[in-house]
Amino acid sequence: MHVGPVSTSGAVASLATARLNGQRVEGHVLAPHLVVDEAVHDPDGAQTACTTLPPFRDGTHRRALWGALASGAVGMVASGFRPMGQPGNGLPAGLAERMRVVWRHGVQAGLLGAEEFVAVTTQAAARAFNIYPRKGAIMIGADADLVLWDPDAQETCPHGPDTPYGGIALGGRAVHVIRGGVTVWKDNRLYDDGGFGAYLPCPAFSPGLSTRLRHAARLSLR
């Protein structure tokens, strides 16, 4: 089972307890919940453009979310992004900042290692949705999607009407992005004209899930 977005210490505790009891459960947190708190809401109750579901919490929950990522109780970080003008409860901006938030406030802050950063931003999602190792791995047979990362880059995100990260420090930077063996980003220039997306089926069960585990969970063998 996959649960999320997780945004409170109570939810983290429930996930950790379930995993300790042997239940196969995954969870994810939204990147904004790692660094943004309920102060983005107007004190009179009016909501800003940075409102999302679940709502932003007070700052006491952030420590539990980072601890859950470090311990593996929560396995991945999503962006919470939705395209501008599209319906839904996501944020209209912040997609590009997701990895930079995790690097600055996770890796550079000493809460996560570089390998754990890779896991929570890419590999864990591929495993959870049963498309690993085609995605989330650098190996023969996997899609040739690669990011060359500058680990030392730092800057402060400028304030804007649509971003939840205004005034928040960002770390790391993608300097070269390759998709399918073709360069799509380099030297702050986009080389991609779009139109190359493809549907990737996500099977319900991992091919590596043993027959014994399938029977134990009363899952179909088909």
Side-chain angles (χ1 to χ4, degrees):
M1 178 180 292
H2 184 86
V3 179
V6 175
S7 64
T8 66
S9 56
V12 165
S14 295
L15 274 177
T17 299
R19 292 170 68 88
L20 286 172
N21 288 330
Q23 294 177 297
R24 301 177 64 86
V25 57
E26 303 279 352
H28 74 271
V29 63
L30 301 183
H33 286 88
L34 295 171
V35 292
V36 178
D37 60 33
E38 61 186 5
V40 299
H41 299 295
D42 186 271
D44 295 328
Q47 296 178 330
T48 70
C50 295
T51 300
T52 187
L53 187 67
F56 291 115
R57 314 294 184 175
D58 68 69
T60 60
H61 294 280
R62 294 207 299 264
R63 184 173 181 178
L65 297 180
W66 281 111
L69 286 172
S71 67
V74 172
M76 65 191 82
V77 180
S79 66
F81 170 79
R82 65 172 171 81
M84 180 70 73
Q86 294 293 316
N89 297 303
L91 298 165
L95 178 64
E97 289 83 4
R98 175 186 69 113
M99 296 180 70
R100 305 193 68 191
V101 164
V102 179
W103 186 265
R104 173 65 184 86
H105 299 273
V107 179
Q108 291 181 331
L111 300 176
L112 300 175
E115 294 82 1
E116 292 171 318
F117 165 78
V118 173
V120 301
T121 57
T122 59
Q123 188 182 87
R127 289 185 181 275
F129 299 112
N130 300 316
I131 53 176
Y132 181 90
R134 177 174 175 181
K135 299 290 187 180
I138 301 176
M139 59 184 292
I140 295 174
D143 289 353
D145 302 335
L146 304 170
V147 176
L148 181 62
W149 188 256
D150 175 5
D152 299 320
Q154 293 192 52
E155 66 178 290
T156 299
C157 183
H159 289 276
D162 299 319
T163 179
Y165 299 117
I168 291 175
L170 304 175
R173 182 173 64 91
V175 296
H176 193 164
V177 179
I178 299 172
R179 186 189 61 196
V182 178
T183 293
V184 295
W185 174 268
K186 185 179 180 182
D187 300 327
N188 290 323
R189 177 184 172 188
L190 183 66
Y191 289 82
D192 184 5
D193 294 329
F196 296 100
Y199 173 72
L200 184 62
C202 297
F205 308 122
S206 168
L209 190 64
S210 71
T211 301
R212 182 185 298 272
L213 284 175
R214 289 173 185 261
H215 278 305
R218 297 187 177 91
L219 302 179
S220 171
L221 291 173
R222 293 177 295 174

